[in-house]
Amino acid sequence: MSEFQELSQKIRARVREVPDFPKPGISFKDLTPVFGDGALQRELCHALAERYRKRRIDTIVAIESRGFIVGAPLAVELGVGLALVRKRGKLPWKTVSKSYELEYGKDTLEMHEDAVKLGHRVLVVDDLLATGGTAGATCDLVRSTGGEVVEAAFVIELAFLEGRGRLEGIDCPAIVTY
Ligand code: AMP
């Protein structure tokens, strides 16, 4: 996206591509060099805050685990609440849950049932959009508790996997596209 053009180049230059991790054929996009760079992290947070400051966001819903690293500082910067979406069995209180298809088998995501209030305007945040299964299930969780998904934002999108097709009707800005 043009508003992120300069930042996009800086982040792309720092993403470490790890071939065949966690399994053969996957090129893992390692963001730890970006997270390890204080100035770049701040720039990332400020760029996202700039986009959402006037969008009346009530809650940021961040997806385990690298989504927490992007979502938490953004929530602080915007002065809005943070809700966590985690893998099954990690959250201590009553949850809503959603299963979604993986390449092999299924996975389940959970969110506290009181994390998103009725009518809340929600921004979903994760580090990376691949097939869209994770983000799609997260948007379903938000809607199941009465929230409205304003957008789903990512640092990286693997466009060739066409993940936005599973997020129909939701705008999905990404800072770097592969
Ligand atoms: P998906 O549900 O297929 O869109 O996968 C998205 C989730 O898996 C995100 O939480 C990412 O952190 C992780 N992920 C999937 N593919 C990659 C990849 N190539 N590099 C890094 N993380 C990935």
Side-chain angles (χ1 to χ4, degrees), residues 34-35 37-38 40-50 53 60 62 65-84 123 125 155:
V34 174
F35 298 146
D37 180 333
L40 190 52
Q41 273 227 90
R42 178 182 280 168
E43 214 175 306
L44 169 62
C45 180
H46 286 174
L48 289 171
E50 219 35 61
R53 212 178 293 284
I60 288 179
S65 59
R66 289 175 295 273
F68 296 171
I69 300 167
V70 181
L74 180 59
V76 172
E77 177 70 23
L78 292 175
V80 305
L82 179 70
L84 308 181
L123 171 65
V125 173
V155 182

Side-chain angles (χ1 to χ4, degrees), residues 26-29 64 66 126-134 158:
I26 305 280
S27 168
F28 191 84
K29 304 291 185 283
E64 182 174 0
R66 289 175 295 273
D126 202 2
D127 66 325
L128 185 143
L129 175 65
T131 65
T134 310
L158 305 182

Side-chain angles (χ1 to χ4, degrees), residues 156-169:
I156 294 174
E157 176 186 6
L158 305 182
F160 53 91
L161 294 175
E162 298 177 350
R164 35 182 87 229
R166 282 167 91 166
L167 296 168
E168 230 173 293

Side-chain angles (χ1 to χ4, degrees), residues 15-175:
V15 170
R16 184 161 45 201
E17 295 195 52
V18 185
D20 299 318
F21 183 87
K23 50 187 179 184
I26 305 280
S27 168
F28 191 84
K29 304 291 185 283
D30 177 19
L31 275 167
T32 60
V34 174
F35 298 146
D37 180 333
L40 190 52
Q41 273 227 90
R42 178 182 280 168
E43 214 175 306
L44 169 62
C45 180
H46 286 174
L48 289 171
E50 219 35 61
R51 180 178 176 87
Y52 293 108
R53 212 178 293 284
K54 294 191 178 132
R55 299 289 300 272
R56 293 188 296 110
I57 303 296
D58 297 303
T59 306
I60 288 179
V61 170
I63 304 174
E64 182 174 0
S65 59
R66 289 175 295 273
F68 296 171
I69 300 167
V70 181
L74 180 59
V76 172
E77 177 70 23
L78 292 175
V80 305
L82 179 70
L84 308 181
V85 165
R86 302 204 64 183
K87 299 272 168 61
R88 183 169 46 194
K90 302 277 189 184
L91 288 168
W93 180 241
K94 294 176 196 164
T95 59
V96 286
S97 69
K98 176 80 190 177
S99 296
Y100 62 102
E101 302 288 336
L102 297 172
E103 197 180 347
Y104 302 104
K106 276 188 171 189
D107 218 339
T108 302
L109 292 176
E110 295 181 339
M111 183 175 76
H112 278 158
E113 62 179 27
D114 61 355
V116 171
K117 307 282 184 284
L118 187 67
H120 265 192
R121 289 170 57 80
V122 167
L123 171 65
V124 170
V125 173
D126 202 2
D127 66 325
L128 185 143
L129 175 65
T131 65
T134 310
T138 299
C139 291
D140 287 346
L141 285 176
V142 169
R143 292 196 200 97
S144 76
T145 58
E148 176 198 343
V149 179
V150 175
E151 277 189 354
F154 304 89
V155 182
I156 294 174
E157 176 186 6
L158 305 182
F160 53 91
L161 294 175
E162 298 177 350
R164 35 182 87 229
R166 282 167 91 166
L167 296 168
E168 230 173 293
I170 298 170
D171 281 337
C172 305
I175 292 169

